[in-house]
Coordinates of all heavy atoms in Angstrom, one line a residue:
G71 N -5.0 10.7 11.7 CA -4.0 9.7 11.9 C -3.2 10.0 13.1 O -3.2 11.1 13.6
S72 N -2.4 9.0 13.6 CA -1.6 9.2 14.8 C -0.3 8.3 14.5 O -0.4 7.4 13.7 CB -2.2 8.7 16.1 OG -2.5 7.3 16.0
G73 N 0.8 8.7 15.2 CA 2.0 8.1 15.0 C 2.4 8.0 13.5 O 2.4 9.0 12.8
E74 N 2.7 6.8 13.0 CA 3.2 6.7 11.6 C 2.0 7.1 10.6 O 2.3 7.5 9.5 CB 3.5 5.4 11.3 CG 5.0 5.1 11.6 CD 5.5 3.7 11.0 OE1 4.7 2.9 10.5 OE2 6.8 3.7 10.7
G75 N 0.8 7.1 11.1 CA -0.2 7.5 10.3 C -0.3 8.9 9.9 O -0.8 9.3 8.8
K76 N 0.5 9.7 10.6 CA 0.7 11.2 10.3 C 1.6 11.3 9.0 O 1.7 12.5 8.5 CB 1.2 12.0 11.4 CG 0.1 12.1 12.5 CD 0.6 13.1 13.7 CE -0.5 13.3 14.7 NZ -1.5 14.1 14.2
L77 N 2.4 10.3 8.7 CA 3.2 10.4 7.5 C 2.4 10.6 6.3 O 2.9 11.1 5.3 CB 4.1 9.2 7.5 CG 5.1 9.0 8.6 CD1 5.9 7.7 8.4 CD2 6.1 10.1 8.7
W78 N 1.2 10.2 6.2 CA 0.3 10.5 5.1 C -0.5 11.7 5.3 O -1.1 11.8 6.4 CB -0.7 9.3 4.8 CG 0.0 8.0 4.3 CD1 0.2 7.7 3.0 CD2 0.5 6.9 5.1 NE1 0.7 6.4 2.9 CE2 1.0 5.9 4.2 CE3 0.6 6.7 6.5 CZ2 1.6 4.7 4.7 CZ3 1.2 5.5 6.9 CH2 1.7 4.6 6.0
S79 N -0.6 12.5 4.3 CA -1.4 13.7 4.4 C -2.9 13.3 4.3 O -3.2 12.4 3.8 CB -1.1 14.7 3.2 OG 0.3 15.2 3.3
N80 N -3.7 14.1 5.0 CA -5.2 13.9 4.8 C -5.5 14.0 3.4 O -5.0 14.9 2.7 CB -5.9 14.8 5.7 CG -5.8 14.5 7.2 OD1 -5.3 13.5 7.5 ND2 -6.2 15.4 8.0
G81 N -6.4 13.2 2.9 CA -6.8 13.1 1.5 C -6.7 11.7 1.0 O -6.8 10.7 1.8
T82 N -6.8 11.5 -0.3 CA -6.8 10.2 -0.9 C -5.4 9.5 -0.9 O -4.4 10.1 -1.2 CB -7.3 10.2 -2.3 OG1 -8.7 10.9 -2.4 CG2 -7.4 8.8 -3.0
I83 N -5.5 8.2 -0.5 CA -4.3 7.4 -0.4 C -4.6 6.1 -1.3 O -5.8 5.6 -1.2 CB -4.0 6.8 1.0 CG1 -3.7 8.0 2.0 CG2 -2.8 5.8 1.0 CD1 -3.6 7.6 3.4
S84 N -3.7 5.7 -2.2 CA -3.9 4.6 -3.0 C -3.5 3.4 -2.3 O -2.4 3.3 -1.8 CB -3.2 4.7 -4.3 OG -3.7 5.8 -5.1
G85 N -4.4 2.3 -2.2 CA -4.1 1.2 -1.5 C -4.5 -0.1 -2.4 O -5.3 0.0 -3.2
F86 N -3.9 -1.3 -2.0 CA -4.3 -2.5 -2.6 C -4.7 -3.5 -1.6 O -4.0 -3.7 -0.5 CB -3.1 -3.1 -3.4 CG -2.8 -2.5 -4.8 CD1 -2.1 -1.3 -4.8 CD2 -3.4 -3.0 -5.8 CE1 -1.9 -0.7 -6.1 CE2 -3.1 -2.5 -7.1 CZ -2.4 -1.2 -7.3
C87 N -5.9 -4.1 -1.8 CA -6.5 -5.0 -0.9 C -5.6 -6.3 -0.6 O -5.1 -6.7 -1.6 CB -7.8 -5.4 -1.4 SG -8.6 -6.9 -0.7
T88 N -5.5 -6.7 0.7 CA -4.8 -8.0 0.9 C -5.7 -9.0 1.5 O -5.2 -10.1 1.8 CB -3.7 -7.8 1.8 OG1 -4.2 -7.2 3.1 CG2 -2.7 -6.8 1.3
E89 N -7.0 -8.7 1.7 CA -8.0 -9.7 2.3 C -9.2 -9.8 1.4 O -10.0 -8.9 1.4 CB -8.3 -9.3 3.7 CG -7.3 -9.4 4.7 CD -7.8 -9.3 6.1 OE1 -8.4 -8.3 6.5 OE2 -7.5 -10.2 7.0
L90 N -9.2 -10.8 0.7 CA -10.2 -10.9 -0.5 C -11.6 -11.2 0.1 O -12.6 -10.7 -0.5 CB -9.8 -12.1 -1.4 CG -8.6 -12.0 -2.2 CD1 -8.2 -13.2 -2.8 CD2 -9.0 -10.9 -3.3
S91 N -11.8 -11.8 1.3 CA -13.1 -12.1 1.7 C -13.7 -11.0 2.6 O -14.9 -11.1 2.9 CB -13.0 -13.4 2.6 OG -12.2 -13.2 3.7
E92 N -13.0 -10.0 2.9 CA -13.5 -8.8 3.7 C -14.0 -7.8 2.8 O -13.7 -7.7 1.6 CB -12.4 -8.2 4.6 CG -11.9 -9.2 5.7 CD -12.8 -9.4 6.9 OE1 -14.0 -8.8 6.7 OE2 -12.4 -10.0 7.9
L93 N -14.8 -6.8 3.3 CA -15.4 -5.7 2.6 C -14.8 -4.5 2.8 O -14.1 -4.2 3.9 CB -16.9 -5.6 3.0 CG -17.8 -6.8 2.7 CD1 -19.2 -6.5 3.2 CD2 -17.8 -7.2 1.2
A94 N -14.7 -3.5 1.9 CA -14.1 -2.2 2.0 C -14.9 -1.4 3.0 O -16.1 -1.6 3.1 CB -14.1 -1.6 0.7
P95 N -14.3 -0.6 3.8 CA -15.0 0.2 4.8 C -15.9 1.3 4.1 O -15.5 2.1 3.4 CB -13.9 0.9 5.6 CG -12.7 1.0 4.6 CD -12.8 -0.3 3.7
E96 N -17.2 1.3 4.4 CA -18.1 2.2 3.9 C -18.3 3.5 4.7 O -18.9 4.5 4.3 CB -19.5 1.6 3.6 CG -19.4 0.4 2.7 CD -20.8 -0.2 2.4 OE1 -21.7 0.1 3.2 OE2 -20.9 -1.0 1.5
V97 N -17.8 3.4 6.0 CA -17.8 4.6 6.9 C -16.3 4.7 7.4 O -15.5 3.8 7.3 CB -18.7 4.3 8.1 CG1 -20.1 4.2 7.6 CG2 -18.4 3.2 8.9
T98 N -16.0 6.0 7.8 CA -14.7 6.2 8.3 C -14.3 5.3 9.4 O -15.1 5.2 10.3 CB -14.5 7.7 8.7 OG1 -14.8 8.5 7.6 CG2 -13.1 8.0 9.3
T99 N -13.2 4.6 9.4 CA -12.8 3.6 10.3 C -11.4 3.8 10.7 O -10.5 4.2 9.9 CB -12.9 2.2 9.7 OG1 -14.3 2.0 9.2 CG2 -12.6 1.1 10.6
K100 N -11.1 3.6 12.0 CA -9.7 3.7 12.4 C -8.9 2.5 12.2 O -9.2 1.4 13.0 CB -9.7 4.2 13.9 CG -8.2 4.4 14.5 CD -8.2 4.8 15.9 CE -8.7 6.2 16.1 NZ -8.6 6.7 17.5
Y101 N -8.0 2.4 11.4 CA -7.2 1.3 11.1 C -5.8 1.5 11.8 O -5.3 2.5 12.0 CB -6.8 1.3 9.6 CG -7.8 0.6 8.7 CD1 -9.1 1.1 8.5 CD2 -7.5 -0.6 8.1 CE1 -10.0 0.4 7.7 CE2 -8.5 -1.2 7.3 CZ -9.7 -0.7 7.0 OH -10.5 -1.4 6.3

Side-chain angles (χ1 to χ4, degrees):
S72 63
E74 276 199 336
K76 289 184 175 294
L77 295 176
W78 288 270
S79 299
N80 288 348
T82 299
I83 301 170
S84 295
F86 281 84
C87 161
T88 62
E89 286 191 307
L90 289 168
S91 61
E92 296 282 10
L93 298 176
E96 296 182 350
V97 297
T98 299
T99 303
K100 182 180 287 188
Y101 274 69

